Structures are given as structure tokens and as C-alpha cells.
Amino acid sequence: MKNVIVVFLVLMTLQVSAQGKKWVELFDGKSLNNWKINESPASFRVENGSIIIEGPRGHLFYDGPVGDHNFKDFEVQATVMTFPGSNSGLYVCTDFLPVGFPSVGYEVQVNNSHTDWRRTASLYNIVDTSERFVKDEEWFDLNVTVKGNRIVTKINGVTVVDYTQPASPLRSKGQEQRLIKAGTIALQAHDPKSKVAYKSIKVRSL
């Protein structure tokens, strides 16, 4: 009987562990429920099952119940389409900011043809790449893994950046809070000429 109880407890532990690693979708495909816009509300809309970002600067922060919108040791994957000349970003480890570009956490660049040379999956202004891995007007998966002091970005499963944050990272003025910490996820509206679509944003704990 004792052995049966031990086996049962082990199986329950494994089941809970497995459930903790399931993907959870943050976007319901219909609305911006559980998301919070800091400025320029008109820059964000839902159309044909996707979040369309087009318009003046603004940021859309996840503010829902999953993980209490405070993620640590996690993976996020977004299915994205860029349009010619567009710029956006996926922020991780960030906090809501009423106005301006988020100063906390890391921005993962979303840009395949904008005048800014830093291309998609760059860890903006920390580890940048000028290489373009995908084309505009094609859906692709952007994956970001944050665990411990390490961030890995991938496009369609191909690693672009693998960065380990040092114990005392050097940051330029204004970027002192570009650090790994528990925080939320945000999507960026960069400028009025940029248009980007997100049809899925999902997370799982690690």
C-alpha cells in the first residue's frame, strides 16, 4: 500500500509539472481583453483574428491572469507578420509604463525592412544582428526563452541570439534597467508608417 501511495504521488507531481509547461495563449483572437495600452489606443486593433499594430507610438502590455502577468523563467512565442518598411518589438521582463518606450526589461526587435538596421530577433541595443531571416508579408514564429540569466531568441526554430547577462552588465545612460527580472510582455507600435500583425502570443513556464 505504501508503495502504491508513493507511485501515485510521483505521478501527480509529474502531471503538475507537465501542466506547468503547457503553452497558454494570451490573445483570444477576438479582442484586446487582458491587454493594457499605454498611449495611442488607435494604433492597436483586432482584425481577422490578429492584433494589427499600425499608427503612432504606443505599447500593448499583457495585464491578464496568466502567471499574474509577472513571468519568470518562461518561454514566449509570437506568430508575426511584418509589412514593408515596418518596425515593432516584443518586450519581455518589462513593466507597464504610461508614456514612452519601456525602460525596463529587454526589447526583442521585430523588423525585416525598416531603416533601422537591427533586424528581427535582435536583443535591441544589447546583441544586434543585421541579418534578415524572414521576409515581409510572411508569417513566422518568433520565440524568446528567458531562464536564469540567459535569453535566447529564435526565428522559426533557428537561434539568432544566445545571450547570458553578466553579473554586473554595462548599460548606456537610460538603459540601466535593461535587465532580466520577473515582468510582463508588451508589443510595440513604433511609428505611423509601420504595420505589423500578431496572430498568436503564447507563453509557458520553464
Side-chain angles (χ1 to χ4, degrees):
M1 183 66 180
K2 188 175 181 180
N3 289 337
V4 173
I5 293 174
V6 170
V7 170
F8 175 76
L9 291 173
V10 169
L11 290 173
M12 288 298 294
T13 301
L14 290 174
Q15 184 178 8
V16 170
S17 177
Q19 288 175 344
K21 294 184 179 181
K22 286 183 179 178
W23 286 107
V24 181
E25 180 63 58
L26 303 183
F27 168 52
D28 64 14
K30 304 173 186 177
S31 71
L32 296 179
N33 290 344
N34 297 321
W35 292 82
K36 186 176 181 180
I37 301 170
N38 69 343
E39 56 182 337
S40 306
S43 295
F44 303 91
R45 68 183 188 272
V46 176
E47 187 177 283
N48 298 324
S50 298
I51 298 174
I52 306 298
I53 300 178
E54 183 178 23
R57 184 191 69 192
H59 293 82
L60 183 67
F61 295 81
Y62 179 68
D63 193 46
V66 179
D68 196 26
H69 56 272
N70 194 46
F71 304 106
K72 182 179 181 181
D73 288 342
F74 67 99
E75 188 176 1
V76 56
Q77 182 168 294
T79 302
V80 192
M81 181 187 290
T82 59
F83 292 82
S86 294
N87 194 336
S88 181
L90 172 67
Y91 283 82
V92 295
C93 306
T94 195
D95 294 332
F96 180 80
L97 185 71
V99 178
F101 293 99
S103 58
V104 174
Y106 287 88
E107 179 190 356
V108 180
Q109 177 77 307
V110 176
N111 160 22
N112 294 315
S113 61
H114 189 265
T115 53
D116 188 335
W117 64 270
R118 298 169 180 85
R119 298 303 180 203
T120 297
S122 292
L123 209 56
Y124 198 88
N125 213 29
I126 303 296
V127 183
D128 296 307
T129 179
S130 60
E131 186 173 356
R132 189 172 73 167
F133 291 83
V134 285
K135 299 177 181 179
D136 288 321
E137 300 181 312
E138 292 182 0
W139 290 108
F140 65 91
D141 288 331
L142 175 62
N143 183 282
V144 185
T145 301
V146 183
K147 189 170 185 180
N149 63 345
R150 184 182 179 197
I151 299 181
V152 178
T153 70
K154 296 181 180 181
I155 297 175
N156 293 333
V158 177
T159 298
V160 179
V161 169
D162 189 337
Y163 171 73
T164 299
Q165 180 180 285
S168 300
L170 295 175
R171 297 287 185 260
S172 58
K173 187 176 180 180
Q175 299 197 42
E176 296 89 350
Q177 297 184 79
R178 294 280 187 228
L179 302 170
I180 294 173
K181 70 171 203 64
T184 193
I185 293 161
L187 306 179
Q188 180 188 80
H190 186 271
D191 64 81
K193 295 182 179 180
S194 290
K195 179 182 179 181
V196 178
Y198 294 82
K199 69 177 178 180
S200 174
I201 309 100
K202 57 188 179 181
V203 297
R204 63 179 174 184
S205 61
L206 298 176

